[in-house]
Amino acid sequence: MSTATAGGAATPGRASSAPPATPRGTKKKSVLGTRPWLAAVFLLPALLLLGALVVYPIGYSVYRSFFDASGNGFVGLDNYTEMFSDDATKTAIKNNIIWLILAPTISTALGLIFAVLTERVRWATAFKLIVFMPMAISMLAAGIIFRLVYEQDPDKGVANAMWVGVHDSFSASPPFPGAHPRPAAGLTESSNGSFTTQDAVRAGSPASIPLVAAKRDDISGAQDAKAARPEAGKVTGTVWFDFTKGGLGKQGAIDPGEKAMADLKIEAVKDGKVVAKTTSAADGTYTLPAKAEGAQLRLPAWNFSAPYNGIDWLGPSLVTPAIIGSYVWIWAGFAMVLIAAGLAGVPRELMEAARMDGASEWQVFRRVTVPLLAPVLSVVVVTLMINVMKIFDLVYIIAPGPSQDDANVLALQLFQSSFGTDVNQGLGSAIAVLLLLLVLPVMFVNIRRIRRESRR
């Protein structure tokens, strides 16, 4: 092999490294390996769709926001002024800020915790699959699921069923909600809902207390009422459900088959002070000591109060956090998968070196793992922020009618203004422009990050 020297002679033993010359008359191809006009032809359909479905609607929304509800009268910035003076829109902006702070932060934090904790366990793949599975469910289906989860009735709502179960494990439930004494039973109702006998009780003379309006489910398994026996030096009596099927029983008397009312709290009150307490037995009887002599009997309001019904998850104060919880349930799996992929690329040597230097696992996590995962965490947070700014379906489905105004967000307010009861598409377009302006900075940060990473 030989190469040419400066004088034109070839030098043996050296291979030529110069690129082959381009023949004259040949047009240079583009990076895509084809002619630029051909690439433009292939891109033209996508550009037309982009213009028709994105650029034109944005431009028309901006144009429409300067007109009134009819679309004929030019109002300038009046729609924007009305938007910021409207209570519903201000509530929507406030809730969007809450969403923007809480939802991406909690979802990313849970995703990071799940990704780190499941890194060394055998069942990590199964756990990640379970956590990621809600991503396969549409927002509509997820909204219906959590609408049932947050149902107020513990017999229907899972959240309240669990909460009421825990509450009732540490606190007794009222035995007979809604029950009360017969009108002619000699008891008067206090302002706090308790019932007190008009006459003082005497030892050796049983004091019977007939009650009505108890629910059938509360007395269905009760024993038959038993008449109390007089005891010297003690106050005795019976509390029972004074009702016989067919109305054949005698009021104020214990008829055969009438049910006892057990577990009722009974207090003996003298001069406004409780001197003795007891609880009715399974057969409805009760016994008070001698110091109850001359006292009045009181049935505390707790006996008849409504049972604990759980938390009003979809009430005005908790509806937004409750819906954010459903969003986190869906998107925590997305954050976990991305963070786990980033964690797989973290050099293990750095973690081992930190451990060799005496760093604890918390220090390794805080000062090594998290800084190395910062690019991935920023991707997750920015993606979720863009997604949260457009949240609509979960709020629309989960929030009930009375609480929907309290859970309002910009996308929902946009829908209600444009297609709701009082249609004003000028105001709706102004809200759409505001929503676009709020999303643009986040998108700009995301684009800069992508360009920065592409240069590396």
Side-chain angles (χ1 to χ4, degrees), residues 240-263:
W240 83 101
F241 184 52
D242 190 14
F243 176 80
T244 303
K245 290 182 179 180
L248 302 177
K250 183 180 179 181
Q251 294 185 7
I254 302 176
D255 298 306
E258 291 185 338
K259 299 298 183 179
M261 302 184 75
D263 299 325

Side-chain angles (χ1 to χ4, degrees), residues 143-375:
I144 295 174
I145 290 171
F146 275 88
R147 183 66 178 85
L148 296 175
V149 168
Y150 291 133
E151 182 67 39
Q152 179 67 42
D153 187 353
D155 294 331
K156 299 178 181 178
V158 177
N160 266 341
M162 297 175 60
W163 191 265
V164 170
V166 173
H167 176 273
D168 291 348
S169 299
F170 298 94
S171 179
S173 298
F176 300 100
H180 57 81
R182 279 194 174 278
L187 284 88
T188 57
E189 183 177 5
S190 303
S191 59
N192 61 0
S194 62
F195 295 92
T196 307
T197 57
Q198 297 174 355
D199 301 325
V201 292
R202 300 295 176 186
S205 178
S208 299
I209 305 176
L211 300 180
V212 292
K215 296 180 181 178
R216 283 292 177 184
D217 293 340
D218 295 333
I219 61 171
S220 58
Q223 296 182 16
D224 290 345
K226 179 182 177 182
R229 295 180 180 179
E231 296 184 27
K234 294 183 179 181
V235 175
T236 60
T238 304
V239 184
W240 83 101
F241 184 52
D242 190 14
F243 176 80
T244 303
K245 290 182 179 180
L248 302 177
K250 183 180 179 181
Q251 294 185 7
I254 302 176
D255 298 306
E258 291 185 338
K259 299 298 183 179
M261 302 184 75
D263 299 325
L264 273 169
K265 292 183 178 180
I266 303 170
E267 298 173 343
V269 181
K270 280 184 180 180
D271 300 325
K273 296 181 180 179
V274 178
V275 296
K277 295 180 181 180
T278 189
T279 302
S280 59
D283 57 4
T285 60
Y286 65 89
T287 303
L288 289 166
K291 57 185 177 181
E293 170 78 22
Q296 292 175 297
L297 298 183
R298 182 171 65 189
L299 302 178
W302 174 84
N303 292 315
F304 317 111
S305 60
Y308 181 69
N309 206 34
I311 297 175
D312 188 8
W313 298 103
L314 300 180
S317 58
L318 291 178
V319 61
T320 295
I323 300 174
I324 291 177
S326 65
Y327 179 90
V328 170
W329 177 76
I330 298 172
W331 287 91
F334 167 82
M336 178 196 65
V337 169
L338 290 188
I339 295 171
L343 191 61
V346 173
R348 304 297 168 180
E349 302 82 19
L350 297 177
M351 298 183 183
E352 294 301 328
R355 294 187 181 99
M356 293 283 290
D357 290 340
S360 64
E361 289 298 324
W362 169 247
Q363 290 174 326
V364 172
F365 172 76
R366 184 166 58 92
R367 299 191 176 185
V368 179
T369 305
V370 173
L372 291 174
L373 288 175

Side-chain angles (χ1 to χ4, degrees), residues 355-410:
R355 294 187 181 99
M356 293 283 290
D357 290 340
S360 64
E361 289 298 324
W362 169 247
Q363 290 174 326
V364 172
F365 172 76
R366 184 166 58 92
R367 299 191 176 185
V368 179
T369 305
V370 173
L372 291 174
L373 288 175
V376 179
L377 295 176
S378 65
V379 171
V380 174
V381 171
V382 170
T383 303
L384 293 180
M385 288 176 69
I386 296 174
N387 184 270
V388 158
M389 291 297 295
K390 303 177 294 181
I391 194 69
F392 164 78
D393 31 21
L394 280 180
V395 180
Y396 184 72
I397 297 169
I398 295 178
S403 301
Q404 199 166 81
D405 291 341
D406 299 284
N408 199 14
V409 290
L410 283 173

